[in-house]
Short mmCIF file of all heavy atoms in Angstrom, two decimals:
data_model
loop_
_atom_site.label_atom_id
_atom_site.label_comp_id
_atom_site.label_asym_id
_atom_site.label_seq_id
_atom_site.Cartn_x
_atom_site.Cartn_y
_atom_site.Cartn_z
N THR A 4 28.00 93.50 136.07
CA THR A 4 28.78 92.62 135.20
C THR A 4 29.07 93.29 133.86
O THR A 4 30.18 93.20 133.32
CB THR A 4 28.04 91.29 134.96
OG1 THR A 4 27.71 90.70 136.22
CG2 THR A 4 28.90 90.32 134.18
N THR A 5 28.07 93.99 133.32
CA THR A 5 28.28 94.71 132.07
C THR A 5 29.30 95.83 132.24
O THR A 5 30.17 96.04 131.38
CB THR A 5 26.95 95.30 131.56
OG1 THR A 5 26.01 94.24 131.37
CG2 THR A 5 27.14 96.04 130.25
N LEU A 6 29.24 96.54 133.36
CA LEU A 6 30.21 97.60 133.63
C LEU A 6 31.63 97.04 133.73
O LEU A 6 32.59 97.64 133.23
CB LEU A 6 29.85 98.33 134.92
CG LEU A 6 28.59 99.22 134.87
CD1 LEU A 6 28.23 99.73 136.27
CD2 LEU A 6 28.81 100.39 133.92
N GLN A 7 31.77 95.88 134.34
CA GLN A 7 33.09 95.24 134.45
C GLN A 7 33.60 94.82 133.07
O GLN A 7 34.79 94.99 132.77
CB GLN A 7 32.99 94.03 135.38
CG GLN A 7 32.72 94.39 136.83
CD GLN A 7 32.16 93.23 137.63
OE1 GLN A 7 32.00 92.12 137.11
NE2 GLN A 7 31.83 93.47 138.89
N MET A 8 32.70 94.28 132.25
CA MET A 8 33.10 93.89 130.90
C MET A 8 33.59 95.09 130.10
O MET A 8 34.65 95.03 129.45
CB MET A 8 31.92 93.23 130.18
CG MET A 8 32.24 92.81 128.74
SD MET A 8 30.90 91.88 127.94
CE MET A 8 29.65 93.17 127.80
N LEU A 9 32.86 96.19 130.17
CA LEU A 9 33.24 97.38 129.42
C LEU A 9 34.55 97.97 129.94
O LEU A 9 35.39 98.45 129.16
CB LEU A 9 32.12 98.42 129.49
CG LEU A 9 30.80 98.03 128.82
CD1 LEU A 9 29.76 99.10 129.03
CD2 LEU A 9 31.01 97.78 127.32
N ALA A 10 34.74 97.91 131.25
CA ALA A 10 35.98 98.43 131.84
C ALA A 10 37.19 97.66 131.34
O ALA A 10 38.23 98.23 130.98
CB ALA A 10 35.90 98.39 133.37
N LEU A 11 37.08 96.35 131.29
CA LEU A 11 38.19 95.52 130.84
C LEU A 11 38.42 95.64 129.34
O LEU A 11 39.55 95.56 128.86
CB LEU A 11 37.97 94.07 131.24
CG LEU A 11 38.24 93.80 132.73
CD1 LEU A 11 37.58 92.52 133.19
CD2 LEU A 11 39.75 93.73 132.98
N LEU A 12 37.36 95.87 128.59
CA LEU A 12 37.52 96.09 127.15
C LEU A 12 38.22 97.42 126.89
O LEU A 12 39.06 97.53 125.99
CB LEU A 12 36.16 96.05 126.44
CG LEU A 12 35.56 94.67 126.24
CD1 LEU A 12 34.13 94.76 125.75
CD2 LEU A 12 36.41 93.85 125.25
N ARG A 13 37.88 98.45 127.66
CA ARG A 13 38.58 99.73 127.51
C ARG A 13 40.07 99.57 127.83
O ARG A 13 40.93 100.18 127.19
CB ARG A 13 37.95 100.79 128.40
CG ARG A 13 36.61 101.32 127.88
CD ARG A 13 36.17 102.57 128.62
NE ARG A 13 35.85 102.28 130.01
CZ ARG A 13 34.63 101.97 130.46
NH1 ARG A 13 33.62 101.91 129.61
NH2 ARG A 13 34.41 101.74 131.73
N ALA A 14 40.37 98.74 128.82
CA ALA A 14 41.77 98.47 129.16
C ALA A 14 42.48 97.75 128.03
O ALA A 14 43.62 98.08 127.67
CB ALA A 14 41.84 97.66 130.45
N SER A 15 41.81 96.78 127.46
CA SER A 15 42.40 95.97 126.40
C SER A 15 42.59 96.75 125.12
O SER A 15 43.64 96.65 124.47
CB SER A 15 41.53 94.74 126.14
OG SER A 15 41.99 93.99 125.05
N LEU A 16 41.59 97.54 124.73
CA LEU A 16 41.59 98.17 123.41
C LEU A 16 42.07 99.62 123.43
O LEU A 16 42.48 100.15 122.39
CB LEU A 16 40.18 98.12 122.82
CG LEU A 16 39.58 96.72 122.66
CD1 LEU A 16 38.16 96.79 122.13
CD2 LEU A 16 40.45 95.85 121.77
N ALA A 17 42.00 100.26 124.59
CA ALA A 17 42.38 101.68 124.65
C ALA A 17 43.41 101.99 125.73
O ALA A 17 43.76 103.14 125.93
CB ALA A 17 41.13 102.54 124.87
N GLY A 18 43.86 100.96 126.46
CA GLY A 18 44.90 101.17 127.45
C GLY A 18 44.48 101.89 128.71
O GLY A 18 45.31 102.41 129.46
N GLN A 19 43.17 101.93 128.98
CA GLN A 19 42.67 102.61 130.17
C GLN A 19 42.74 101.71 131.39
O GLN A 19 42.72 100.48 131.28
CB GLN A 19 41.23 103.08 129.95
CG GLN A 19 41.07 104.09 128.82
CD GLN A 19 39.64 104.57 128.69
OE1 GLN A 19 38.83 104.45 129.60
NE2 GLN A 19 39.30 105.13 127.53
N LYS A 20 42.83 102.32 132.56
CA LYS A 20 42.84 101.55 133.81
C LYS A 20 41.46 100.93 134.03
O LYS A 20 40.45 101.63 134.01
CB LYS A 20 43.20 102.45 134.98
CG LYS A 20 43.27 101.71 136.31
CD LYS A 20 43.66 102.65 137.44
CE LYS A 20 43.71 101.89 138.77
NZ LYS A 20 44.10 102.79 139.89
N PRO A 21 41.38 99.61 134.22
CA PRO A 21 40.07 98.96 134.37
C PRO A 21 39.44 99.19 135.74
O PRO A 21 40.04 98.89 136.77
CB PRO A 21 40.38 97.48 134.16
CG PRO A 21 41.80 97.34 134.60
CD PRO A 21 42.49 98.64 134.24
N ASP A 22 38.26 99.73 135.72
CA ASP A 22 37.52 99.97 136.96
C ASP A 22 36.04 100.15 136.59
O ASP A 22 35.73 101.00 135.73
CB ASP A 22 38.05 101.22 137.66
CG ASP A 22 37.36 101.47 139.00
OD1 ASP A 22 37.13 100.47 139.74
OD2 ASP A 22 37.02 102.63 139.28
N PRO A 23 35.14 99.33 137.17
CA PRO A 23 35.34 98.37 138.27
C PRO A 23 35.81 97.00 137.77
O PRO A 23 35.68 96.69 136.58
CB PRO A 23 33.94 98.26 138.86
CG PRO A 23 33.03 98.43 137.66
CD PRO A 23 33.71 99.45 136.79
N LEU A 24 36.32 96.20 138.70
CA LEU A 24 36.74 94.82 138.41
C LEU A 24 35.92 93.85 139.27
O LEU A 24 35.45 94.23 140.35
CB LEU A 24 38.22 94.64 138.75
CG LEU A 24 39.24 95.29 137.82
CD1 LEU A 24 40.64 95.17 138.42
CD2 LEU A 24 39.19 94.65 136.44
N PRO A 25 35.76 92.62 138.79
CA PRO A 25 35.11 91.61 139.63
C PRO A 25 35.92 91.39 140.91
O PRO A 25 37.16 91.42 140.88
CB PRO A 25 35.13 90.35 138.74
CG PRO A 25 35.26 90.87 137.35
CD PRO A 25 36.11 92.09 137.46
N ALA A 26 35.21 91.15 141.99
CA ALA A 26 35.88 90.99 143.29
C ALA A 26 35.80 89.56 143.82
O ALA A 26 36.53 89.21 144.75
CB ALA A 26 35.28 91.95 144.31
N THR A 27 34.93 88.74 143.24
CA THR A 27 34.75 87.38 143.74
C THR A 27 34.78 86.40 142.57
O THR A 27 34.63 86.78 141.40
CB THR A 27 33.41 87.22 144.48
OG1 THR A 27 32.34 87.38 143.53
CG2 THR A 27 33.28 88.26 145.59
N GLU A 28 34.94 85.11 142.89
CA GLU A 28 34.92 84.09 141.85
C GLU A 28 33.58 84.07 141.13
O GLU A 28 33.52 83.88 139.91
CB GLU A 28 35.22 82.71 142.46
CG GLU A 28 35.26 81.61 141.42
CD GLU A 28 35.64 80.26 142.00
OE1 GLU A 28 36.00 80.19 143.19
OE2 GLU A 28 35.56 79.26 141.26
N GLU A 29 32.50 84.27 141.88
CA GLU A 29 31.17 84.28 141.27
C GLU A 29 31.06 85.42 140.26
O GLU A 29 30.49 85.24 139.17
CB GLU A 29 30.10 84.43 142.35
CG GLU A 29 28.68 84.42 141.78
CD GLU A 29 27.62 84.62 142.86
OE1 GLU A 29 27.98 84.79 144.04
OE2 GLU A 29 26.43 84.60 142.50
N GLU A 30 31.61 86.59 140.58
CA GLU A 30 31.56 87.72 139.65
C GLU A 30 32.39 87.44 138.40
O GLU A 30 31.99 87.81 137.29
CB GLU A 30 32.04 88.99 140.34
CG GLU A 30 31.06 89.53 141.38
CD GLU A 30 31.51 90.85 141.97
OE1 GLU A 30 32.66 91.29 141.70
OE2 GLU A 30 30.71 91.47 142.69
N TRP A 31 33.54 86.78 138.59
CA TRP A 31 34.35 86.42 137.43
C TRP A 31 33.62 85.40 136.55
O TRP A 31 33.71 85.45 135.31
CB TRP A 31 35.70 85.85 137.86
CG TRP A 31 36.72 86.89 138.21
CD1 TRP A 31 37.24 87.17 139.45
CD2 TRP A 31 37.36 87.81 137.31
NE1 TRP A 31 38.16 88.19 139.38
CE2 TRP A 31 38.26 88.59 138.06
CE3 TRP A 31 37.28 88.03 135.93
CZ2 TRP A 31 39.05 89.59 137.50
CZ3 TRP A 31 38.07 89.02 135.35
CH2 TRP A 31 38.94 89.78 136.13
N GLN A 32 32.89 84.47 137.18
CA GLN A 32 32.12 83.49 136.42
C GLN A 32 31.05 84.19 135.59
O GLN A 32 30.88 83.88 134.40
CB GLN A 32 31.45 82.49 137.38
CG GLN A 32 32.39 81.48 138.01
CD GLN A 32 32.64 80.29 137.10
OE1 GLN A 32 32.21 80.27 135.95
NE2 GLN A 32 33.35 79.29 137.60
N LYS A 33 30.33 85.12 136.20
CA LYS A 33 29.29 85.85 135.47
C LYS A 33 29.89 86.64 134.31
O LYS A 33 29.34 86.67 133.21
CB LYS A 33 28.56 86.80 136.42
CG LYS A 33 27.64 86.11 137.42
CD LYS A 33 26.94 87.14 138.30
CE LYS A 33 26.00 86.47 139.29
NZ LYS A 33 25.32 87.47 140.17
N LEU A 34 31.04 87.24 134.57
CA LEU A 34 31.68 88.03 133.52
C LEU A 34 32.13 87.13 132.37
O LEU A 34 31.99 87.49 131.20
CB LEU A 34 32.88 88.79 134.09
CG LEU A 34 33.70 89.60 133.10
CD1 LEU A 34 32.83 90.60 132.35
CD2 LEU A 34 34.85 90.31 133.81
N PHE A 35 32.67 85.97 132.69
CA PHE A 35 33.12 85.05 131.65
C PHE A 35 31.97 84.65 130.73
O PHE A 35 32.10 84.66 129.50
CB PHE A 35 33.74 83.80 132.27
CG PHE A 35 34.18 82.77 131.27
CD1 PHE A 35 35.35 82.95 130.54
CD2 PHE A 35 33.44 81.62 131.06
CE1 PHE A 35 35.76 82.00 129.61
CE2 PHE A 35 33.85 80.67 130.13
CZ PHE A 35 35.01 80.87 129.41
N HIS A 36 30.82 84.31 131.32
CA HIS A 36 29.67 83.90 130.51
C HIS A 36 29.14 85.06 129.67
O HIS A 36 28.74 84.86 128.50
CB HIS A 36 28.57 83.34 131.40
CG HIS A 36 28.94 82.03 132.04
ND1 HIS A 36 29.27 80.91 131.30
CD2 HIS A 36 29.06 81.65 133.35
CE1 HIS A 36 29.56 79.90 132.11
NE2 HIS A 36 29.45 80.33 133.36
N LEU A 37 29.15 86.27 130.21
CA LEU A 37 28.71 87.43 129.44
C LEU A 37 29.69 87.73 128.30
O LEU A 37 29.27 88.01 127.17
CB LEU A 37 28.57 88.65 130.35
CG LEU A 37 28.06 89.94 129.67
CD1 LEU A 37 26.64 89.72 129.14
CD2 LEU A 37 28.08 91.11 130.67
N ALA A 38 30.97 87.65 128.59
CA ALA A 38 31.99 87.90 127.57
C ALA A 38 31.91 86.87 126.45
O ALA A 38 32.07 87.20 125.26
CB ALA A 38 33.38 87.88 128.20
#
Side-chain angles (χ1 to χ4, degrees):
T4 306
T5 301
L6 289 172
Q7 293 160 2
M8 178 174 68
L9 295 177
L11 283 161
L12 284 170
R13 285 192 293 268
S15 174
L16 302 177
Q19 298 183 19
K20 182 179 179 180
D22 183 41
L24 287 172
T27 66
E28 182 176 353
E29 181 182 2
E30 289 185 351
W31 279 111
Q32 286 276 7
K33 288 181 179 179
L34 177 56
F35 178 76
H36 292 301
L37 182 63

